[in-house]
Structures are given as structure tokens and as C-alpha cells.
Amino acid sequence: MHSSSRRFAAGVVPGVLVAVGLLAGCGDSLTTEHVELSALSERTLTYSLADVDLFEVPQAPGSHRVTVTFSQAGGDRCTRLKDGATATFNGQPMKLEQGGVDGTAGRDVCMPTRAFFDFNPDEWAKLPPAEARVVIQDASHTVTMVVQNGQAKREFKFDGTPNPLERMLRGQTYAFLWSPAGEGLTAAGASLLPEGGVVTAQMVVLREDNRISFTVPAQLGPATHLLTLKGEVGAQVSQCVGVAGCRGTLFHSQEQVVAVQ
């Protein structure tokens, strides 16, 4: 999947961390309020999965990552979780970021409390889909979130032959199936970038449950192209304890070289 060089334009890799989490901008005179985990019990916990497979590029930080993020306090408050809290993903330790005010960017920014876990996509691909159990706790409180199929390697599989797809014809319609089966896509995209080019052809994608289809533009010139497929599904939360609510999204993208003729 990877090699030491890249023949396609560098602009093809945007959004590697699209599902990892966003910073919240605040005022310039904030102070950090140190709190125990129990003080976050009225917040919402968001589960985000970023599963980004790149062609000819070593894995970028965060490209295969699970992140859980607490919602912010709102207003002028900015909270930081006190020392002593821990977070685990299916029993494995997560990196916990306690949050609070960060002024290194030249202005005060309120960082959320969150935890993340970088997974090995090759290991996950060998395993059947499994639930993801995230547990965050300190001496005052415990937060538990369980996501169905939260531990699963996602993939678009060409719905046809030969497989894998290596050649596409202009004006022809192609279909791909999202895996794991049983997940309905809430968003999807597909694009083609010619080798050595800078203009990406964004294609109209039709979605039907876990299946997408699109037609290769007839006006494309024959060349080697980089096909990028993207998809997103909503997280199915089966347990949410210790916070006001839980939600999440699972994002996957993949790149493949195809000959457009």
C-alpha cells in the first residue's frame, strides 16, 4: 500500500485527520478551571474513527485513530481534567489529553478534554468486527461508551470483476460495497486525479445502504489516475454511562491507481 515516492500531486491528501476532532476558539483572557471527571457528567462524548489508507505514502500521524472528545463547557469557561484520570480502548491504554487553555498560537484557545488510540490497520483487518469499549475514569467518576463495530477495518470493495479494479472506461458506471456489511453510509465521495495533474475530477456518487456507484466522466483524458473513495457512517452506540449523551462518526477513505481509458 505504501512506497517511498509519490507520483501524484501533494494536494491529494487533504482531510487525513478529518474525523479526529476540532479545536474550539475562545477569547484572549481565559483561565483554566481544573475539574474532576464527575464535573464532565453533563457533557456529550463524541466517538470518531479516522481510517485513511493512502497510496505510496507512509502512514501519517492520526490516519488510523480512534478519538473520544468531551463537549466544551460553553461560554467563557474552559475546563481541564485533573491529574489521575485514565482512558482505555478495549482494555488498552489511550493517550489522554486533559484540555484547558493553550496560548501557544498567539491567542487563547480552549482545548477539549479527549483521548485517542492509534490502531494498526493490518491487525484490525485480520480480525472480525468487534465492539469498542472506551472507559475513562478517576477517583470521582467513571464514563463508559460502547460502540458496535467500533473496532473494525473499513473498506470499499469493487462490486464487479476483475477485483481489484485496475482499469476504468470513460462513460462507464462502477459500483463499490462498503465493508463491514450492514452499515448504511451517511456520506460518500469519489474523485479521480490524473498522474502529474493538479485538477481533480469530483464525481456524482449515488448511495444505497452500503453501496455506492458513479460514472467516470466521458471528457477525461486517457491516463493513469488516482482514484479516491470516501465514506462515513454514524456510530451505533449500545452503552453510554456517566455522561449526558454519546454520539459518533466512523470515517474511511482509500486510494487506488487505475488506468482510465
Side-chain angles (χ1 to χ4, degrees), residues 170 192 194 201 203 216-222 225 260:
R170 291 170 289 175
L192 284 166
M203 291 170 287
V216 177
Q219 66 271 24
L220 282 186
H225 283 69
V260 175

Side-chain angles (χ1 to χ4, degrees), residues 32-244:
T32 297
E33 178 185 340
H34 296 265
V35 300
E36 295 181 330
L37 185 60
S38 57
L40 306 184
S41 62
E42 298 303 316
R43 310 282 183 90
T44 297
L45 190 63
T46 299
Y47 183 100
S48 300
L49 172 75
D51 179 19
V52 180
D53 298 330
L54 303 176
F55 176 78
E56 288 194 336
V57 174
Q59 178 176 317
S63 57
H64 296 96
R65 175 175 290 180
V66 170
T67 306
V68 290
T69 307
F70 285 92
S71 59
Q72 302 264 25
D76 294 329
R77 296 181 61 212
C78 185
T79 58
R80 176 180 175 85
L81 194 60
K82 291 181 178 179
D83 294 341
T86 61
T88 58
F89 177 90
N90 285 349
Q92 301 180 70
M94 304 179 74
K95 180 177 175 58
L96 181 62
E97 297 179 342
Q98 295 163 276
V101 177
D102 185 341
T104 58
R107 64 185 298 269
D108 288 344
V109 176
C110 189
M111 306 290 289
T113 298
R114 62 183 182 178
F116 65 84
F117 175 78
D118 289 315
F119 64 90
N120 185 323
D122 295 328
E123 290 182 359
W124 277 24
K126 298 175 184 177
L127 301 172
E131 69 177 20
R133 177 178 294 271
V134 175
V135 178
I136 305 170
Q137 57 187 352
D138 66 4
S140 72
H141 195 57
T142 299
V143 173
T144 303
M145 181 180 187
V146 178
V147 177
Q148 297 179 22
N149 289 349
Q151 178 178 307
K153 181 69 184 78
R154 282 160 173 85
E155 181 183 10
F156 280 106
K157 298 180 180 180
F158 176 52
D159 187 16
T161 56
N163 196 353
L165 177 67
E166 296 181 351
R167 182 171 66 101
M168 289 183 141
L169 300 178
R170 291 170 289 175
Q172 182 71 40
T173 299
Y174 295 87
F176 292 80
L177 296 174
W178 172 275
S179 176
E183 294 183 340
L185 287 159
T186 57
S191 63
L192 284 166
L193 174 71
E195 182 177 8
V198 295
V199 179
T200 301
Q202 300 289 343
M203 291 170 287
V204 176
V205 175
L206 301 179
R207 287 186 287 116
E208 184 177 357
D209 295 326
N210 71 325
R211 186 177 186 269
I212 65 169
S213 61
F214 57 85
T215 301
V216 177
Q219 66 271 24
L220 282 186
T224 299
H225 283 69
L226 187 70
L227 171 66
T228 301
L229 303 175
K230 299 180 180 181
E232 184 176 284
V233 300
Q236 299 181 42
V237 179
S238 59
Q239 186 176 354
C240 180
V241 177
V243 288

